[in-house]
Amino acid sequence: AVVSTQSTWEAVVSTQSTWEAVVSTQSTWEAVVSTQSTWEAVVSTQSTWEEQKSLAGKTVEGYSTHIQDATTFYLQVGTDENVAKIEKLLTQVDSSKKFEKGGKVRLGKGKVVAAAYDGSYYRCRYEGRAGANARVTFLDYGNQDIIEMDALVQLDGELKNLPSTAYRCSLAGVKPPPAKRNPQYFEDAGKFFAAQIDGKNLTVNVLYTDKGTNFVRVLDDNGDDGNEMLVKGGHARLPNRQPEELVKVAKEFVADLDTARKDAFRSHSGMWEYGDPGSDNEEEDFRPVGRFNN
């Protein structure tokens, strides 16, 4: 699929085999990592683009438009009036305004354009060539894709300036299992996380924002903390040192995550079934197992 709408994404992650295909290869993981730098470029370099409203310190409701990995997703906020506005404006796109070779309007990297898919248009940022095709980031969903050059058309007016309605979110205080050294745990974590949030109305507590990413807690219908459940199930790790911004605003939450991590280790849950799973980067390996004995 060219773009991950909520319904499309439900189809993408509804089967185990599909999710394994998404996250099980090293090349895919490298693409996942590169998405963060691309999204930082999306939110920081558009001089004519309105900035997203800050969500820091707020609790919002919405749904995921794209799941990047076991701790990262894109959120569309239910009260964002720009969602309906953009959808309406996209129905008025002039399909004749294509980017012709040698034409007056050049298609440069970073340009905000519209991409045609299944009879509709979606806003995207042109990232460059991919052979004879175009590599794009869909601004209101968060995902990247390769599409035909002929599918791109020019945008005018508000559609070029309205901020992205997809908020990049990362679960605060946690990170996924090692992707390269232990891909099975990474895949399992992705499936667990997708089952938690896909196709559901989410309550998201934004603790702080940094470089275009919102660091959040995701709460389920019962008020249980999704971050903590990932850790307790052995599907997420903790960094060696939590960010100062997180400790400052959620000290008790940080302590709860540490307790959940110790419980997961002692019960050999998830990635801890055989002890320390290691990491993809030797400098980020966990400290000795003895620190969990307290």
Side-chain angles (χ1 to χ4, degrees), residues 206-226:
V206 183
L207 299 177
Y208 68 97
T209 300
D210 183 41
K211 295 180 180 178
T213 297
N214 298 278
F215 291 87
V216 305
R217 298 173 69 178
V218 176
L219 308 178
D220 67 12
D221 293 337
N222 298 319
D224 293 327
D225 190 286

Side-chain angles (χ1 to χ4, degrees), residues 222-271:
N222 298 319
D224 293 327
D225 190 286
N227 306 44
E228 189 174 338
M229 285 192 286
L230 272 171
V231 175
K232 199 166 186 176
H235 299 302
R237 304 176 285 167
L238 306 188
N240 287 337
R241 177 176 295 180
Q242 293 286 12
E244 292 183 6
E245 298 94 328
L246 178 60
V247 177
K248 183 178 179 180
V249 299
K251 190 173 182 179
E252 291 185 8
F253 168 64
V254 170
D256 289 342
L257 288 179
D258 196 53
T259 298
R261 185 267 313 274
K262 292 177 182 178
D263 289 344
F265 186 84
R266 291 192 181 109
S267 62
H268 299 281
S269 299
M271 77 179 97

Side-chain angles (χ1 to χ4, degrees), residues 177-197:
K180 298 178 183 178
R181 187 177 295 182
N182 293 282
Q184 185 59 55
Y185 298 131
F186 181 79
E187 294 168 20
D188 290 345
K191 287 181 284 187
F192 183 88
F193 183 50
Q196 276 189 307
I197 73 170

